[in-house]
Amino acid sequence: MRPGLGGEPVGLEFSGEVFEWRGPAPFYFVTVPQEESRLIKSVSSLLTYGWGVIPVRVRIGKTEWKTSLFPKDGLYLLPLKDKVREAESLGEGDTVMVRLEFP
């Protein structure tokens, strides 16, 4: 994570694998790696708007969107919307490079 400069958002980059969670409906996520999750957790009280959920802006490939990270088992999960997966041709098991910005 880099410090924000002059009101710029703080950013973080990592790679992760797309996985499917087969709950009541199929959802796709990327797990934020352990080191990056620890960094996020260390400043989470400044970022969360409740229940440990962290709002973020995300970029994968050429696609950008806003969403929230969800805490799970000491890590964070990044949900992938269907339109993002379709735009970037992503499927289960694909490894993606993720850019997060914390407003």
Side-chain angles (χ1 to χ4, degrees), residues 29 53 99-100:
F29 296 91
V53 177
R99 168 85 179 155
L100 299 179

Side-chain angles (χ1 to χ4, degrees), residues 38-53:
R38 273 197 304 262
L39 286 170
I40 295 167
K41 179 68 176 167
S42 72
V43 294
S44 63
S45 65
L46 302 171
L47 302 172
T48 187
Y49 53 75
W51 307 288
V53 177

Side-chain angles (χ1 to χ4, degrees), residues 70-103:
F70 296 93
K72 173 110 171 85
D73 300 329
L75 301 174
Y76 287 92
L77 299 181
L78 169 67
L80 297 181
K81 297 178 179 185
D82 287 343
K83 73 176 193 171
V84 172
R85 290 186 308 103
E86 291 167 7
E88 296 296 327
S89 300
L90 298 175
E92 185 173 15
D94 289 343
T95 299
V96 295
M97 182 58 103
V98 176
R99 168 85 179 155
L100 299 179
E101 288 188 353
F102 302 87

